Amino acid sequence: MCGIVGYIGNQKASSILVNGLLKLEYRGYDSAGLATIENGKIEVLKDKGRVKNLYELEKKNNLTGTVGIAHTRWATHGMPSKINSHPHTDETNSIAVVHNGIIENYIELKKFLEEKGYNLVSDTDTEVIPNLIHYFYTKETGNDKLKILRAVKNACDKLVGSFALEILSKDYPDNMIVVRKDSPLVIGKGFDEIYIASDIPAILSYTRDFYLLDNLEFAFLSRDSIKFYNNNLEKFQKEATSISWNAASSDKNGYEDYMLKEIYEQPTAIRETIGSRLDGENCNFYELNLDKKYLSSVNQIYIVACGTAMHAGLSVKPTIEKLCKIHTQVDIASEFRYKDPLIDQNTLCIFISQSGETADTIAALKLSKKKKATTIAVTNVIGSSITREADYSIYTHAGPEIAVASTKAYTSQIAMLTLLAIYFAETLDSASKDIIQTLKENLLELPSKIEETLETIDQIKDISKTMFKEKDVFYLGRGIDYATAEEACLKLKEISYIHSETYAAGELKHGTIALIEEGINVIGIITDSNLVKKTVSNIEEIITRGAKTTIVVSTTVSSMIDKSIFDNIIVVPDTSIFLSSIVTVVPLQLLAYYISKEKGLDVDKPRNLAKSVTVE
Ligand code: F6R
């Protein structure tokens, strides 16, 4: 996955491009580059490494062009290197392209171009694109303004895979062409200037008015106009979407890292998620046209997602089953899409994706539609690819999440899915009014409960100082606490690089306990007072074998246990067991964060990871 930015206007493009890339670094950060048109000539600056290298390059080279494209890369084809960095140009340096996505048939296209005499120099899939455009451009006989657009369209017709492209041509020094297929791209309109980016936060400080391109729509840009063309190159009009987030919500706002800021934003994010869903008598999902007759016909629910979003699904499965009495399965999108799942028109499939761009989740959604299931996307990004595929889309409204490690998106996904379960249960009349009423009250109390939980910060900092040198950490839990433990464990792995694993508490004695030795760190979560004795006795078994234990417990559970046997006890406020993940995960997000800081790592941009995974 990569990030792209473009600018066309009256200002110096190169500095606007570098600023935009800095906001997109979470999408990829192994190389960066930009191209502008300088006196009718394409100039490219690029190198491997972070955007700050490009920033230095940009300062040294006084580019004055007012039209430009830029890219921050996360390598898929070819090692990070200057030659593999974007922008790529054709060999005559007349077309420059930046690309997010993957061209699956690039080897075939490379062969075709080489047979036509083109000399490609990089190991990337992208380099075929400017050369193909050049090839079709030279075949064009007309001399009208749309000659370049036809060449771009002919090139796109040959591409198999996903792409968001920005294209410059030296013959059109005042224009740019953009097009997308299965990779994100937004166009922002300012006054006599146009901004383009992979996502809205990168250009939110310049404009609030955005155009969202659909698959295989082209835009021909000048500084004062945007002309849209469909895949037959017929012109059409598009409505702009106005965004209400402000730029500050995607800046660090005084926090050292985005991850910490986003952990602290959870009370607000949950408030926004719940928003107006709980006004009045019933839970509102006006956008869903799913009545009692339809919901009564549903014999199974599938929740499909990847990573943290899948963990949110694991946490809400028991809630849906308890309230709606519908058998619910949770699956990893990359497994679901290849296993010929048993679903039909009586299956309701829910796809969770913060970015709305995850390739496996989108492919799983397409498969479910083919099998006639009803599909709902739960996402944080307005207009993201998943929303264009799903029958219904529900937005979590958590605000932009920039850190690679997901925090506020996860807790708001759980809150939103709990609301959805309440809505289904109210429509079906499948749960007692008391249970639903208590759950609604607990949902409304969540922001203040999270605020209270954030006060554990000093205790967490102290624990992180004793844990950051560990090689292995184990996480334990039962029921919903097990689902939370999975998420807490993923947080630690991805940002601290410490090996960690999660086990259902009762499963240890079936093998894993063999790994427990003197001094090993085990983190347990216990919030269900009905199961506290069982889980504590599992933890006692590992204490006997020398483990160091840290437990996260609800206030009620803390009053039921012998505290003297644990090394650390983190107490969080009581809430409904169905919402416990939202509270118990918070200190464990902070623990992963501070362990990573103790190790001196880049918390927001962990190695080998990218924010949205638009490749399989
Ligand atoms: C982990 C993390 C990932 C994502 C996963 C799905 O912190 O962020 O595991 O949850 O890649 O991404 P989305 O939700 O964008 O589909």
Side-chain angles (χ1 to χ4, degrees):
M1 191 194 66
C2 311
I4 62 181
V5 185
Y7 175 75
I8 173 162
N10 297 306
Q11 305 182 58
K12 181 171 145 73
S14 56
S15 36
I16 293 176
L17 294 172
V18 173
N19 276 336
L21 287 186
L22 285 168
K23 299 216 164 90
L24 282 178
E25 253 195 318
Y26 71 87
R27 299 180 63 89
Y29 36 84
D30 60 44
S31 23
L34 63 85
T36 55
I37 300 195
E38 305 287 318
N39 302 320
K41 198 167 161 265
I42 292 178
E43 287 293 342
V44 175
L45 300 179
K46 60 183 187 177
D47 210 345
K48 70 172 186 178
R50 292 268 164 111
V51 177
K52 69 174 186 317
N53 297 0
L54 183 67
Y55 173 78
E56 298 300 333
L57 261 182
E58 194 266 332
K59 275 205 303 203
K60 275 192 226 137
N61 290 268
N62 188 25
L63 299 181
T64 54
T66 58
V67 179
I69 58 179
H71 187 270
T72 176
R73 180 169 185 249
W74 185 65
T76 56
H77 295 79
M79 295 290 284
S81 68
K82 181 169 179 178
I83 210 156
N84 289 335
S85 310
H86 299 219
H88 289 280
T89 58
D90 69 298
E91 62 173 348
T92 67
N93 203 40
S94 49
I95 309 279
V97 168
V98 294
H99 166 220
N100 172 27
I102 287 195
I103 306 305
E104 290 165 14
N105 60 337
Y106 81 102
I107 292 181
E108 192 185 302
L109 293 172
K110 201 166 175 172
K111 211 162 140 231
F112 166 83
L113 287 162
E114 281 166 353
E115 279 165 12
K116 300 286 174 202
Y118 284 82
N119 178 28
L120 279 70
V121 293
S122 78
D123 304 318
T124 66
D125 52 340
T126 303
E127 198 189 359
V128 298
I129 303 172
N131 285 288
L132 264 185
I133 297 173
H134 180 267
Y135 170 77
F136 284 111
Y137 190 64
T138 57
K139 296 270 166 277
E140 282 287 331
T141 48
N143 219 359
D144 54 307
K145 254 215 146 200
L146 295 186
K147 187 174 160 185
I148 184 70
L149 186 59
R150 287 194 297 276
V152 170
K153 186 237 167 338
N154 287 333
C156 289
D157 282 350
K158 296 274 177 237
L159 305 178
V160 176
S162 57
F163 49 86
L165 302 174
E166 292 173 342
I167 300 141
L168 291 184
S169 160
K170 78 169 175 38
D171 292 348
Y172 296 80
D174 297 320
N175 302 108
M176 184 190 305
I177 294 176
V178 297
V179 54
R180 72 175 281 275
K181 178 180 167 273
D182 297 330
S183 287
L185 188 114
V186 296
I187 303 171
K189 174 128 181 53
F191 181 70
D192 262 2
E193 51 187 3
I194 314 266
Y195 300 87
I196 305 99
S198 299
D199 70 18
I200 292 171
I203 49 177
L204 197 56
S205 48
Y206 304 113
T207 178
R208 297 279 181 88
D209 295 323
F210 292 92
Y211 294 93
L212 309 169
L213 278 189
D214 274 326
N215 271 346
L216 293 173
E217 288 179 350
F218 297 80
F220 189 87
L221 312 174
S222 322
R223 56 181 52 82
D224 55 358
S225 79
I226 306 175
K227 298 197 172 95
F228 295 102
Y229 295 86
N230 66 17
N231 200 27
N232 299 320
L233 295 192
E234 294 153 346
K235 227 165 153 183
F236 69 97
Q237 301 293 328
K238 209 177 226 317
E239 287 287 306
T241 305
S242 272
I243 299 295
S244 57
W245 306 338
N246 58 27
S249 55
S250 56
D251 281 345
K252 279 192 203 157
N253 235 351
Y255 285 91
E256 213 173 315
D257 301 280
Y258 281 110
M259 183 176 175
L260 190 60
K261 173 184 174 242
E262 288 158 9
I263 291 173
Y264 270 85
E265 280 174 345
Q266 290 179 109
T268 315
I270 297 284
R271 244 177 237 120
E272 292 289 316
T273 301
I274 297 172
S276 56
R277 302 284 180 188
L278 283 184
D279 62 352
E281 276 275 286
N282 291 325
C283 193
N284 302 318
F285 278 90
Y286 294 122
E287 66 271 56
L288 298 183
N289 192 13
L290 303 176
D291 58 12
K292 186 166 186 171
K293 183 160 173 251
Y294 165 75
L295 286 173
S296 309
S297 74
V298 172
N299 56 23
Q300 62 170 345
I301 293 178
Y302 249 108
I303 301 179
V304 184
C306 302
T308 289
M310 193 274 294
H311 294 157
L314 289 177
S315 283
V316 291
K317 168 189 152 85
T319 319
I320 298 177
E321 291 192 327
K322 173 84 180 169
L323 297 190
C324 312
K325 318 280 184 292
I326 303 175
H327 178 58
T328 302
Q329 302 199 54
V330 181
D331 214 341
I332 298 168
S334 55
E335 291 292 317
F336 177 90
R337 65 181 287 197
Y338 295 116
K339 72 174 192 196
D340 193 15
L342 288 175
I343 56 176
D344 57 21
Q345 69 278 13
N346 298 114
T347 309
L348 173 61
C349 291
I350 302 173
F351 298 87
I352 315 174
S353 176
Q354 187 286 129
S355 63
E357 302 295 343
T358 301
D360 283 320
T361 310
I362 294 174
L365 190 156
K366 288 182 181 163
L367 171 70
S368 312
K369 277 178 83 178
K370 228 191 228 161
K371 288 180 172 267
K372 309 248 176 330
T374 300
T375 57
I376 301 179
V378 176
T379 181
N380 195 32
V381 180
I382 295 174
S384 54
S385 301
I386 204 166
T387 64
R388 299 169 206 197
E389 301 288 344
D391 296 319
Y392 302 101
S393 297
I394 295 172
Y395 293 106
T396 44
H397 298 300
E401 192 179 66
I402 309 292
V404 165
S406 184
T407 52
K408 64 176 180 172
Y410 167 76
T411 44
S412 58
Q413 284 157 355
I414 297 173
M416 183 52 85
L417 283 151
T418 307
L419 286 161
L420 196 59
I422 294 176
Y423 168 73
F424 291 159
E426 284 180 333
T427 310
L428 285 165
D429 207 6
S430 53
S432 89
K433 292 217 165 11
D434 284 354
I435 290 191
I436 287 187
Q437 188 50 36
T438 312
L439 197 49
K440 283 180 180 172
E441 284 162 16
N442 290 155
L443 270 162
L444 290 167
E445 284 163 7
L446 274 175
S448 60
K449 302 253 158 136
I450 301 173
E451 272 154 16
E452 215 181 301
T453 308
L454 285 165
E455 286 167 18
T456 56
I457 187 160
D458 290 332
Q459 185 188 7
I460 303 294
K461 280 185 190 166
D462 288 345
I463 300 173
S464 71
K465 290 193 176 89
T466 64
M467 234 185 238
F468 78 100
K469 288 195 182 135
E470 294 305 321
K471 292 249 171 310
D472 308 282
V473 175
F474 292 94
Y475 286 79
L476 302 180
R478 256 203 166 76
I480 290 182
D481 293 335
Y482 170 62
T484 321
E486 285 280 16
E487 172 56 12
C489 176
L490 176 62
K491 286 289 91 75
L492 186 73
K493 278 179 209 168
E494 62 186 333
I495 60 167
S496 77
Y497 316 149
I498 294 176
H499 165 248
S500 52
E501 294 191 41
T502 310
Y503 291 96
E507 189 63 11
L508 282 181
K509 53 187 165 298
H510 300 288
T512 315
I513 203 158
L515 294 172
I516 302 296
E517 53 188 43
E518 190 68 34
I520 202 132
N521 265 280
V522 177
I523 298 176
I525 307 177
I526 323 172
T527 57
D528 189 341
S529 37
N530 295 320
L531 299 172
V532 63
K533 279 206 179 112
K534 302 274 171 220
T535 309
V536 167
S537 78
N538 295 138
I539 297 178
E540 273 168 344
E541 286 160 17
I542 56 171
I543 291 175
T544 317
R545 285 157 181 87
K548 283 191 256 168
T549 50
T550 298
I551 55 166
V552 179
V553 290
S554 61
T555 310
T556 303
V557 168
S558 91
S559 67
M560 296 167 69
I561 57 175
D562 170 7
K563 298 191 193 57
S564 66
I565 63 171
F566 304 103
D567 294 281
N568 301 298
I569 303 177
I570 302 164
V571 182
V572 298
D574 286 330
T575 182
S576 155
I577 181 72
F578 296 123
L579 298 170
S580 59
S581 299
I582 296 179
V583 179
T584 52
V585 81
V586 173
L588 297 174
Q589 292 168 338
L590 285 170
L591 184 65
Y593 173 82
Y594 282 109
I595 288 179
S596 176
K597 293 299 279 183
E598 283 292 331
K599 293 183 79 169
L601 300 172
D602 186 343
V603 177
D604 285 339
K605 298 187 195 85
R607 69 183 180 205
N608 306 339
L609 290 172
K611 182 68 184 163
S612 78
V613 185
T614 52
V615 295
E616 282 184 32

